[in-house]
Amino acid sequence: MKNTKVILACIIVGLFGILPLGLNVYQQHVMIVCLFYVMMSASWNLLAGYTGQVSFAHAAFAGIGAYTSGILAVKAGLSPWLGIPLGVLFAAVIGFGVGLLCLKMGGIYLSLTTLGVSEIFHIIINNEYEITRGTMGLQVPGLLVEYSKTGYFYIMLVTAIVSLLVIYWMIHSNIGLNFRAVQNDEKAAASLGVDVIRIRVLAFTVSSALAGLAGGVYGHYLLLITPEIPSLDQQFLVLSMTIIGGMGSFIGPIIGAFTLEILSEYIRGYGEYHVLVFGLIALSMARFAPNGVVGLVQAGWAKRSTS
Amino acid sequence: MFLLALTNGLVIGIIYALAALGVSLVVGIMNVVNFAHGEFYILAGYFSYHFANTLGMNYLAAMMLSVGLVLIFGMIIEVLLIRKTYGDDLYSLILTFILSIVLQNTYLLVFGPYPNKPPNWVKGATNVFGQFYYGNQRLAACGAGLVVIAIVYLMLKKTWFGRMLRATSQDREVAELNGVNTTALNMLSFGLGCALAAAAGVILSPIFPVTPTGGMAVALTAFVVVVLGGMGSFWGCVVGGLIIGLVENFGAAFISSGYRHVFGFIILIFVLLVRPAGLFGNREI
Amino acid sequence: MLKGNGLCKNFGGVAALNDVDISLEKGSLIGLIGPNGAGKTTLFNAIAGAFSLSSGNLEFNGKSLNGKSANHICRLGIARTFQVPRPFAEMTCLENVLVPLVNRSRVGERTALLQEGREILDFVGLGNRDDILAKELNLVEKKRLEMARALCTNPQLLLLDEVLGGLNTQEIGAAVDLIVNLSEKRGIAVLWIEHVMGAIMGAAERIIVLDQGEKLMEGTPEEVAHDPRVIHAYLGA
Ligand SMILES: Nc1ncnc2c1ncn2[C@@H]1O[C@H](COP(=O)(O)OP(=O)(O)O)[C@@H](O)[C@H]1O
Ligand SMILES: [Mg+2]
C-alpha cells in the first residue's frame, strides 16, 4: 500500500517533469499559477483542515513573503535567491507573533484577529507608497538571468514539491497526530499531555512560512508585486480551492487548486465571472458536501464496497 | 481641532455601534459570526437608492421597505445556509465568508461598480460649539442611529420577545425545555441581525455611498467593536463603538490619518491581551 | 502524594467548591461520592488543571499545581477521564491512545508505541476495535476508551469520573476488578467518582463525601454508609 503510493507519487512528479515539453507558453503560465495555488491551499489546509484554525491572513502572509523579498531587491539590491528565504523567515516570525497573540483565544477570535492582521497589512501597503508603490505594484527583478517560462515552471514545481513534502511529513508524524487531537477536542488533548498552545503556534508558524515561500516565488515570477497577492479575494480563492477539493485531506487542496485555476481560465473567456462562479460552487459544496470532492469520492467508494 | 475630533469621534462612534449591533445580537443568541453582515448593509443601501432615486419613492418609505426586504432575505439565508451549522462556529464563519464574496460579485453584476447615494434627508450644516460647521445629514444620521439603538435596547429589556432572546442566549437547553421554539427564534434573530445591518445601511448610505465591495470595511469595523466590547453584550457594543470611534478620530487628527483604522486594531489587541473576553464579556474562553 | 488545602471554586455567584481539603497516599483507592451537583467533577477539573482555583493550594509529590496547565499536570503523572466521554471522534481508537503515548515519551519508536497502544486497548476490552473511528463506538466503549487513554499517560494518580454508568452487572464486576488491579498491582493511586454505590463501597479503602461544594465527611465505607449526615444528604430533607 505504502509502496504503491510512493510509486504513484513518483509517476505524477515524473509526468510533471516532462509536462512543459507539451505545453505552449500560455499553458505553462497556467500551470505555474496552479502550482502557486497548490502551495497556498495545501499550507492553509495544514492550519484549517488539521488544527481547525481558520486564518484569513494566509494571503497576507504570501504578501509578506513577496514584499519582503521584493523590497529588499529593489531598495538594497539583494538577490531574490536570498530575499525569498528572508521573506519566509519574516512571514514565520510574524506568524509566530500572531499565533502567540491568539494563544488564549483560538476559534473565532483567531479568525477575526487574522482578518484584522490582513487589513493592517493592506493599510500599510497603501500608506507606505514610497516603498511599496501602493496599488501600482512594485517592479522586482526575476529569479532567472534570462526569462524563461519553462525555467520558472521547474522552480515552481520544485518549491511546490518541497512544500508538499514538509506538509506530508508533518501530518504523518507525531506533530500531525497532535494537530488532529487538538482539532477534535482541545480540552481532552490537553488532559492527555498535548501542549495545545505549542501545537497551535507551531501550526500557525509553519503554515505562514509556507505561504511566505509561495508568495515570494510567485512575486518574482510575475515581476510585479501588487496588493492583489495579499488581498481578501486571493484568500477567498485559496479557501474555496481547499473546501471544494476537500479540507482535512492531503490531496484535496491539490485537486481543488488545479481544478479551480484551470476552470477560471476557461470562465475568464466569458468575462470576469470566475469569482462569482467559484463562490456559488464553494457555497453549495460547503453547505452540502463539507468534505469536498475527496469526501464525495470516499463516500462513493464506501457505498460501492458495501453493496 | 480637538473639538472637531471629539465630535467626529462621538458621531462615528454611534455609527459604529449601530453597524455592530446586528453582529453582536447574532453572536450572542446563536454563536454565529455573520461575515456577510456588511453585504446586508450594502444591499439595503442599494435598495433604498433605487426605491428613492429610480422609483421616486419617499425616502422614509424607501428606507422602511429596504429594511423589511433585507429582514426577509436574512431569514431565507438562515434557513438555507446557517441552520445546518449550529454548534460549529467556524463552519458558519466559512459559509458566511463565501456568501459575502458571492454577494459582492452579484452586486457588481447587478448594480455596477460605481458608488450609489440615496438622497439626503436634510440640507446644510450646523455650527457646532461656535467652532466649525458640521453636516446636518451626519447629525441626523447620528440621531437616527441613537433611536435605533434605543429601540433595540427597549425591545431586548422590555418585551416578551426580548426576554425569550435573552433566555436563549444564556442557556439554550433550558430555554428549549421551557417551550421556546429555538428554530423559529434562530430564524427571527438572524433576520433581525440582518435587518439591523440594513438599518445601518439605509441611515449611512446618504453619507457613505454604497459600492459592491464596501461591506467588508463595515463588517470589519463591526467585528472589532463586537470583540472589543465582548461578544453578545449590548452595552459592550455601544461602548466599544464609541471607543473605536474616538480612538480612530483622535489618532487620525493627531497622529496620521492614513493609519486611522490601525489605531482601532491596536486598542483591540491591547484589550484582548488583558481581557480576552472583551470589555463587557463574561464568557469563559 | 496529592495534597489539597482550602480548595475553593466559584462560578459567578455559585460556590461549586468551598474549602475542601484532600490528601491521598501512593497506591490508595479512594471513592468520591455525593449527590448530583455536589462539586465532584469540579474537584477533578481543579486537580487536573482544566481551570484555575478561586483559592486554595494543590500539591503533587511536593510540587505545587497552582496555575499549571492541564498538559503540564498530565506530564507530572495525573490522568483523568471525563464524565461525558470526550474521544477524538474523527480518529481511530488506536490513534486515540497513540496521542497520550507520543506525548509521554518523545523518542519512542512508533511501532513500539503502537504495540503498547494495542495492548492497552486489549486490556480495557477494546481489543478488536483498533481501527474503528471513535465516533462509531457506543457509550460503554467510549468510556473504556477514556480509561485506555488515561492509562496511556502512565499516571501515578488516576481520576475516574463515573466510569461504571451504563454497564450491566457483569461488566461492572470486570471493570471494578480492573480498577482494583490498577491500584494493587501497578501502584497507581485512584480517586474515583461513582454513583454505583455497591461497587465503590466494596472496592474503595476510604470514601470522601461531598455535598453542595463542601466536604461532608471522610471515612471507611462502613462509617460513611452509616453516617446520618450522608443518609440525609442523599435522601434529602
Ligand atoms: N464550567 C462551569 N460553569 C458554571 N458552573 C459550573 C461549571 N461546572 C460546574 N458548574 C456548577 O458547579 C456545581 C457542581 O457541578 P459538578 O462539579 O459538575 O457536580 P457533580 O458533583 O455532579 O460532578 C453545579 O452547580 C454546576 O452547575
Ligand atoms: Mg459530575
Side-chain angles (χ1 to χ4, degrees), chain A residues 15-290:
Chain A
L15 283 179
F16 265 94
I18 53 168
L19 190 63
L21 303 177
L23 298 180
N24 65 29
V25 172
Y26 165 69
Q27 288 164 335
Q28 286 185 8
H29 166 75
V30 174
M31 279 299 126
I32 293 173
V33 179
C34 280
L35 288 170
F36 166 69
Y37 281 119
V38 165
M39 282 192 260
M40 290 297 286
S41 316
S43 52
W44 188 74
N45 181 45
L46 180 69
L47 193 62
Y50 285 91
T51 70
Q53 307 181 88
V54 176
S55 162
F56 289 110
H58 207 59
F61 281 109
I64 289 177
Y67 273 99
T68 306
S69 169
I71 290 168
L72 285 174
V74 172
K75 298 284 163 186
L78 194 71
S79 153
W81 290 100
L82 284 174
I84 292 174
L86 285 175
V88 173
L89 189 68
F90 193 49
V93 170
I94 303 279
F96 180 75
V98 176
L100 273 186
L101 187 69
C102 299
L103 274 190
K104 285 189 183 165
M105 307 176 248
I108 217 102
Y109 284 85
L110 176 119
S111 299
L112 295 180
T113 310
T114 54
L115 188 63
V117 167
S118 155
E119 193 58 23
I120 290 179
F121 188 57
H122 258 260
I123 295 174
I124 293 175
I125 293 176
N126 283 327
N127 273 285
E128 303 304 326
Y129 180 84
E130 296 296 315
I131 303 173
T132 63
R133 296 279 135 201
T135 47
M136 292 278 297
L138 187 67
Q139 288 192 359
V140 296
L143 280 160
L144 299 171
V145 184
E146 227 165 298
Y147 190 87
S148 136
K149 281 271 189 247
T150 316
Y152 273 108
F153 175 85
Y154 284 120
I155 292 176
M156 215 53 170
L157 184 64
V158 170
T159 326
I161 290 174
V162 170
S163 294
L164 289 177
L165 283 177
V166 169
I167 292 170
Y168 189 87
W169 171 77
M170 271 195 123
I171 58 184
H172 288 90
S173 70
N174 292 347
I175 300 170
L177 192 70
N178 283 332
F179 279 179
R180 288 166 61 210
V182 169
Q183 183 186 22
N184 271 271
D185 191 328
E186 214 177 286
K187 288 224 169 83
S191 86
L192 295 169
V194 180
D195 191 338
V196 175
I197 288 173
R198 233 184 52 144
I199 286 295
R200 280 222 217 109
V201 174
L202 179 71
F204 212 91
T205 311
V206 172
S207 140
S208 308
L210 291 176
L213 176 64
V217 178
Y218 191 54
H220 285 287
Y221 160 67
L222 295 177
L223 304 181
L224 184 71
I225 299 172
T226 65
E228 273 290 290
I229 296 180
S231 69
L232 218 49
D233 282 340
Q234 188 90 268
Q235 175 67 49
F236 162 75
L237 289 182
V238 171
L239 181 142
S240 301
M241 287 166 175
T242 312
I243 288 190
I244 291 174
M247 201 156 116
S249 82
F250 176 75
I251 204 83
I254 304 176
I255 296 176
F258 275 104
T259 319
L260 260 66
E261 173 52 29
I262 293 172
L263 188 66
S264 87
E265 292 300 320
Y266 274 104
I267 301 175
R268 245 183 268 253
Y270 302 93
E272 286 290 311
Y273 299 123
H274 65 284
V275 178
L276 182 56
V277 173
F278 290 175
L280 290 172
I281 300 176
L283 204 56
S284 11
M285 279 298 243
R287 170 67 179 76
F288 296 105

Side-chain angles (χ1 to χ4, degrees), chain C residues 93-156:
Chain C
C93 291
L94 193 56
E95 286 173 329
N96 264 270
V97 291
L98 207 50
V99 170
L101 287 173
V102 302
N103 284 285
R104 188 189 69 194
S105 49
R106 274 168 198 289
V107 281
E109 271 281 313
R110 193 40 101 83
T111 40
L113 293 181
L114 283 173
Q115 186 55 33
E116 189 178 347
R118 288 203 185 88
E119 277 165 15
I120 291 191
L121 284 177
D122 219 23
F123 180 64
V124 300
L126 288 174
N128 52 351
R129 314 293 268 167
D130 293 3
D131 295 325
I132 306 278
L133 287 185
K135 66 177 175 188
E136 321 247 308
L137 299 179
N138 63 34
L139 183 66
V140 173
E141 289 172 322
K142 279 181 182 155
K143 291 201 166 183
R144 289 187 177 153
L145 186 59
E146 283 282 314
M147 177 89 109
R149 286 195 314 191
L151 287 175
C152 284
T153 66
N154 207 3
Q156 300 169 43

Side-chain angles (χ1 to χ4, degrees), chain A residues 52 56 101 104 108-109 111-112 115-116 119-120 123 127-128 232 236 239 243 273 275-276 279 283 286-287, chain B residues 33 35 80 84 89-91 93-95 97-98 101-102 105-106 109 216 220 227 231 258-259 265 269 276:
Chain A
F56 289 110
L101 187 69
K104 285 189 183 165
I108 217 102
Y109 284 85
S111 299
L112 295 180
L115 188 63
E119 193 58 23
I120 290 179
I123 295 174
N127 273 285
E128 303 304 326
L232 218 49
F236 162 75
L239 181 142
I243 288 190
Y273 299 123
V275 178
L276 182 56
L283 204 56
R287 170 67 179 76
Chain B
V33 172
F35 208 110
L80 290 182
K84 194 189 165 206
D89 49 1
L90 288 177
Y91 188 15
L93 190 72
I94 289 179
L95 269 178
F97 173 62
I98 303 175
I101 301 281
V102 167
N105 283 277
T106 311
L109 215 61
M216 201 49 93
L220 204 58
V227 174
M231 296 238 188
Y259 283 103
F265 286 126
I269 287 168

Side-chain angles (χ1 to χ4, degrees), chain B residues 189-208:
Chain B
S189 4
F190 193 81
L192 199 64
C194 297
L196 282 172
V202 295
I203 291 174
L204 299 179
S205 48
I207 307 171
F208 309 108

Side-chain angles (χ1 to χ4, degrees), chain B residues 220-256:
Chain B
L220 204 58
T221 311
F223 296 154
V224 171
V225 168
V226 169
V227 174
L228 176 65
M231 296 238 188
S233 153
F234 176 85
W235 288 114
C237 189
V238 175
V239 174
L242 285 173
I243 292 178
I244 299 289
L246 287 169
V247 167
E248 286 191 2
N249 280 287
F250 275 96
F254 293 103
I255 304 175
S256 152

